[in-house]
């Protein structure tokens, strides 16, 4: 299937996305540009779907708790649960273990509104699938016990009008898409600040248990100094 997928992040000059730097005024312009180049018509590609991991979704769109599931529900049919296929934007969350307690079936980020879609596995509990169905949140199944990224993208495109995907964290999810050869481009807003926290996380982080740690070559597409010493970088990921 034809698709475009780019990873879009805001980071410090030393590549960190967590830490204490967001408290400083030097990151204000970066925050504005992150939204502009990821969620508006100024984005390098149209954003049909924003993809994130479970922890990112919990941090920004829920209270962080896990759902209180019940076994008192109708039998859950096999296969995907597909509803609301006519939204302009979708927020896709990879949650194979069924841990996000969604308060509703949409999210809002400034002017960006999107329908939630969850990617689960064959082993995700029927109790969690019933929870999603009750919230009218569609889900697709991709993988037996672990989510297969390419399979997930295929299932999403088969069921929703999606051609362009933006991956936006967390760090391990970013690396997984990049290393799998599924990411076409990096879109990076760099704030003029260095993060002092030695435990701060970079924008892409291999999983020590099962990810390849081989370097990934890139090719510069453009570099622009926008304002207040903030830089916008675009790189092609050399997947050939």
């Amino acid at each position: 299937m034809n698709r475009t997928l780019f990873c879009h992040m805001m980071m410090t000059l030393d590549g960190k996305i967590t830490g204490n730097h967001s408290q400083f005024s030097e990151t204000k312009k970066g925050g504005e540009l992150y939204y502009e180049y990821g969620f508006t018509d100024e984005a390098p590609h149209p954003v049909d779907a924003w993809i994130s991991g479970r922890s990112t979704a919990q941090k920004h769109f829920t209270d962080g708790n896990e759902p209180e599931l019940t076994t008192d529900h109708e039998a859950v049919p096999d296969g995907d649960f597909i509803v609301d296929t006519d939204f302009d934007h979708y927020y896709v969350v990879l949650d194979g273990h069924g841990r996000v307690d969604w308060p509703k079936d949409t999210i809002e980020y400034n002017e960006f509104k999107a329908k939630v879609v969850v990617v689960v596995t064959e082993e995700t509990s029927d109790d969690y699938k019933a929870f999603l169905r009750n919230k009218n949140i569609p889900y697709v199944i991709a993988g037996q016990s672990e989510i297969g990224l390419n399979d997930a993208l295929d299932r999403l495109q088969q069921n929703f009008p999606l051609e362009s995907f933006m991956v936006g964290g967390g760090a391990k999810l970013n690396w997984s898409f990049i290393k799998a050869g599924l990411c076409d481009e990096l879109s990076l807003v760099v704030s003029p600040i260095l993060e002092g926290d030695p435990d701060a996380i970079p924008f892409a982080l291999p999983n020590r248990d099962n990810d390849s740690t081989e370097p990934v070559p890139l090719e510069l597409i453009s570099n622009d100094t926008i304002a207040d010493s903030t830089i916008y970088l675009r790189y092609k990921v050399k997947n050939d």
Side-chain angles (χ1 to χ4, degrees):
M1 295 183 181
N2 292 328
R3 69 171 71 105
T4 299
L5 187 146
F6 68 103
C7 176
H8 179 64
M9 298 296 293
M10 181 180 74
M11 63 185 192
T12 63
L13 185 59
D14 51 342
K16 302 305 175 68
I17 60 173
T18 64
N20 302 313
H21 59 270
S22 61
Q23 304 172 18
F24 289 77
S25 60
E26 284 80 5
T27 65
K28 180 180 179 181
K29 189 62 179 181
E32 296 171 356
L33 293 174
Y34 171 75
Y35 178 77
E36 181 178 350
Y37 292 152
F39 301 93
T40 74
D41 292 340
E42 297 300 318
H45 304 283
V47 179
D48 298 328
W50 171 18
I51 302 177
S52 83
R54 182 261 311 165
S55 59
T56 299
Q58 287 180 310
K59 177 180 179 180
H60 294 291
F61 299 113
T62 79
D63 58 11
N65 295 324
E66 296 188 12
E68 295 183 5
L69 302 178
T70 177
T71 58
D72 184 18
H73 55 76
E74 296 181 359
V76 176
D78 293 336
D80 304 329
F81 175 57
I82 306 301
V83 292
D84 293 339
T85 60
D86 57 352
F87 270 63
D88 291 332
H89 305 288
Y90 291 85
Y91 179 50
V92 177
V93 176
L94 278 59
D95 186 19
H97 298 290
R99 296 173 60 184
V100 180
D101 185 12
W102 293 103
K104 58 181 182 178
D105 63 338
T106 60
I107 61 99
E108 295 181 14
Y109 175 34
N110 294 346
E111 300 300 316
F112 183 86
K113 183 176 181 179
K115 175 75 176 183
V116 173
V117 181
V118 180
V119 179
V120 299
T121 70
E122 295 285 354
E123 295 185 5
T124 302
S125 72
D126 280 355
D127 295 342
Y128 189 70
K129 293 174 185 175
F131 164 78
L132 294 176
R133 286 171 173 265
N134 186 56
K135 295 283 186 174
N136 202 43
I137 296 175
Y139 59 79
V140 298
I141 300 171
Q144 182 64 37
S145 60
E146 299 292 332
I147 292 173
L149 298 182
N150 193 59
D151 187 21
L153 294 175
D154 285 345
R155 298 297 299 150
L156 290 165
Q157 287 191 279
Q158 288 165 7
N159 290 287
F160 298 94
L162 306 176
E163 293 184 358
S164 182
F165 298 83
M166 187 267 282
V167 176
K172 291 182 178 180
L173 185 67
N174 292 344
W175 177 261
S176 295
F177 273 100
I178 293 168
K179 195 58 191 176
L182 298 173
C183 182
D184 302 299
E185 183 178 318
L186 303 183
S187 168
L188 304 173
V189 177
V190 184
S191 295
I193 192 168
L194 299 172
E195 174 54 57
D197 184 352
D199 296 321
I201 297 173
F203 85 92
L205 181 67
N207 185 328
R208 291 183 181 275
D209 295 332
N210 53 26
D211 278 347
S212 168
T213 55
E214 288 294 316
V216 176
L218 307 173
E219 180 180 328
L220 184 66
I221 297 172
S222 63
N223 62 311
D224 299 299
T225 302
I226 307 300
D228 298 334
S229 300
T230 302
I231 299 172
Y232 179 50
L233 301 172
R234 291 177 60 194
Y235 283 96
K236 174 185 176 182
V237 182
K238 299 174 74 172
N239 292 316
D240 299 335

